[in-house]
Amino acid sequence: ADLAFAAIVGTPESRSRDFAELMARRPDLKDAILIADPDYVLETMHYYLPNPTYFVRERRYGEYVRFTRKGRLDLTLGDILDQARAIRASSGRPVVILLAWRLGEMDPARVYRESYVWTFSAPGDQIARFREATTLLAQFPKATSNESYDVYTLK
């Protein structure tokens, strides 16, 4: 039991603070717009960062996710990349993407179920196209809440 407790001592409940520290070290991203999948990863960011957050599934800026069937229930990695490009084109600002999915562990033939009724997939060559269009900034290990994500910026 002591070893199990020792393994989580010092492990944060969330990776939001780690992400905020990463952003603080990157002045080139101070005006970045944040997007993520799942969207709710962004909800805590307002406690740490002033950056706007865009919810891809709901197609809107905001601070809190609305779990509604009116949003995009099925999302692909290509959709995220397309939305990141559209946001950058319309705003002229950098876009930072947080993904709870480890791209190296994804099966392009599989559809992954998220919470609620959301699904996520990366069919065909979407992983390769995403990697070509982005730069991996960080990979955060799991927190005690099981939250973890990889952070990318659009090239």
Side-chain angles (χ1 to χ4, degrees):
D2 290 338
L3 290 176
F5 180 74
I8 63 169
V9 170
T11 302
E13 189 167 327
S14 167
R15 291 293 173 187
S16 299
R17 179 176 291 159
D18 296 331
F19 176 68
E21 290 171 2
L22 169 70
M23 293 291 286
R25 293 190 306 268
R26 295 291 306 256
D28 58 317
L29 299 177
K30 75 177 184 69
D31 294 325
I33 296 171
L34 311 179
I35 66 174
D37 194 69
D39 287 337
Y40 55 78
V41 167
L42 297 173
E43 287 187 332
T44 58
M45 297 304 166
H46 297 284
Y47 295 104
Y48 299 97
L49 297 166
N51 300 69
T53 53
Y54 183 88
F55 301 125
V56 176
R57 290 183 182 271
E58 295 181 59
R59 298 180 183 108
R60 70 174 181 87
Y61 289 92
E63 292 185 15
Y64 303 101
V65 173
R66 295 183 201 126
F67 288 94
T68 172
R69 290 184 186 267
K70 293 179 184 175
R72 298 171 79 167
L73 302 181
D74 303 311
L75 194 66
T76 69
L77 187 59
D79 296 331
I80 291 172
L81 182 58
D82 292 345
Q83 189 63 64
R85 287 175 169 152
I87 289 169
R88 184 178 61 195
S90 66
S91 69
R93 296 167 72 166
V95 177
V96 174
I97 306 162
L98 288 77
L99 291 179
W101 309 99
R102 301 275 191 221
L103 298 183
E105 298 172 9
M106 291 191 73
D107 177 354
R110 183 171 171 207
V111 174
Y112 295 86
R113 177 138 332 264
E114 290 185 18
S115 57
Y116 197 48
V117 293
W118 295 348
T119 64
F120 183 79
S121 61
D125 67 344
Q126 288 187 11
I127 293 172
R129 287 190 300 120
F130 184 86
R131 285 182 168 151
E132 187 175 293
T134 61
T135 301
L136 177 65
L137 298 180
Q139 290 186 304
F140 294 111
K142 291 207 183 308
T144 58
S145 65
N146 222 20
E147 174 190 305
S148 68
Y149 37 82
D150 293 350
V151 180
Y152 299 85
T153 186
L154 196 57
K155 289 182 183 174

